[in-house]
Amino acid sequence: PYRAQILTYLEARSSHGVSHRALIKFAILFHDVAKPATRSVEPDGRVRFLGHEKLGAETVETVAGRLRLGKKATEAVVTLVREHLRTMQLDEGASLRALNRFLRDTGDHWLGELLLIWADLQASRGPARTPEQIARTARTLRRIADHYFHAVLPVRERPRLLTGHDLMERFGVPEGPQIGRILRALEEAQIAGEVRSRQEALRWVADRLDQLRSEAPSPPDTES
């Protein structure tokens, strides 16, 4: 159902005129580049590649720099490589908070991440994937897309209930990363239907301000 949005995303361009379609191909080429360096064998014979997505992201950033790919294009491929294991933790029962974290951490390239993940899974096992495994992956990716287009996007298309200036003037929050963290938390509350008006947003922040100011950013959901 999102064919038009997918095509629009693929044809969009980052810095230096590089299309998102090309960036996804570049990320697919490099997404497992760090597996040899991180390979280990467990006592039971299981082969693991702990942290290969993080080391791979560092590697692709270095390569992109050598190729003068441009800042935005480099950030895109680094994100695509770093987050390519995320949906392994997002089954059909994943919470809305987990879906929101995935969308937050993949940013403007969440849709490209879904395309990379689908290609990765199809290529890694090929004909060995059962129809049920394919259907389960499709349902998970579809749920992420549904959540974005039907819950997240409508909230983002409306004017913000509160701004950074509101947080600084009304609550004394200093300019800096706390502002963004609180606004993201408020947005997630809107998406969940917990906050619907400016007055509710003010009360929501007031009730949780101490907690929001002290919280560190949530670590990403990853699978080794």
Side-chain angles (χ1 to χ4, degrees):
Y2 304 116
R3 177 180 176 83
Q5 291 93 329
I6 290 171
L7 292 175
T8 297
Y9 169 81
L10 289 174
E11 297 310 316
R13 296 184 178 273
S14 293
S15 53
H16 295 196
V18 181
S19 72
H20 291 169
R21 184 189 302 271
L23 293 178
I24 292 174
K25 292 180 179 180
F26 189 75
I28 288 173
L29 178 65
F30 279 93
H31 77 284
D32 279 344
V33 69
K35 274 193 169 181
T38 58
R39 185 179 186 274
S40 63
V41 181
E42 299 292 308
D44 61 1
R46 180 185 178 190
V47 178
R48 307 190 72 179
F49 305 97
L50 298 172
H52 80 272
E53 73 283 4
K54 297 176 183 177
L55 183 58
E58 295 174 8
T59 301
V60 78
E61 183 173 21
T62 299
V63 174
R66 291 205 304 262
L67 295 176
R68 300 179 186 274
L69 201 55
K71 182 178 179 180
K72 287 186 178 180
T74 297
E75 289 174 350
V77 295
V78 167
T79 296
L80 290 169
V81 172
R82 186 185 65 234
E83 308 296 340
H84 78 271
L85 299 180
R86 289 291 292 278
T87 59
M88 295 179 72
Q89 295 289 334
L90 296 176
D91 58 21
E92 295 174 80
S95 67
L96 293 181
R97 184 176 182 181
L99 298 181
N100 288 330
R101 281 201 301 267
F102 172 82
L103 293 172
R104 178 197 67 199
D105 294 340
T106 52
D108 293 337
H109 295 281
W110 70 269
L111 189 50
E113 197 74 72
L114 299 192
L115 298 176
L116 188 156
I117 288 165
W118 180 262
D120 186 21
L121 291 173
Q122 287 292 88
S124 60
R125 300 194 66 204
R129 295 192 78 205
T130 66
E132 174 52 32
Q133 287 173 328
I134 293 173
R136 186 167 58 247
T137 299
R139 288 194 298 267
T140 297
L141 301 189
R142 168 69 182 271
R143 185 176 179 226
I144 295 170
D146 284 344
H147 178 63
Y148 177 82
F149 287 114
H150 296 296
V152 176
L153 188 59
V155 168
R156 291 182 177 174
E157 287 180 332
R158 295 195 293 268
R160 284 184 179 273
L161 296 179
L162 298 180
T163 67
H165 288 294
D166 291 323
L167 297 180
M168 289 187 284
E169 293 176 3
R170 287 176 172 263
F171 299 102
V173 180
E175 186 173 358
Q178 285 186 8
I179 295 286
R181 191 158 64 242
I182 293 172
L183 291 178
R184 284 193 295 272
L186 176 59
E187 180 182 85
E188 291 186 12
Q190 285 181 257
I191 294 167
E194 299 171 8
V195 175
R196 295 180 177 82
S197 68
R198 178 176 172 83
Q199 289 305 313
E200 288 183 357
L202 290 169
R203 287 197 297 271
W204 189 90
V205 172
D207 291 343
R208 296 164 177 80
L209 185 59
D210 290 340
Q211 176 187 348
L212 291 169
R213 294 177 76 165
S214 62
E215 280 183 352
S218 300
D221 300 319
T222 59
E223 173 66 28
S224 299

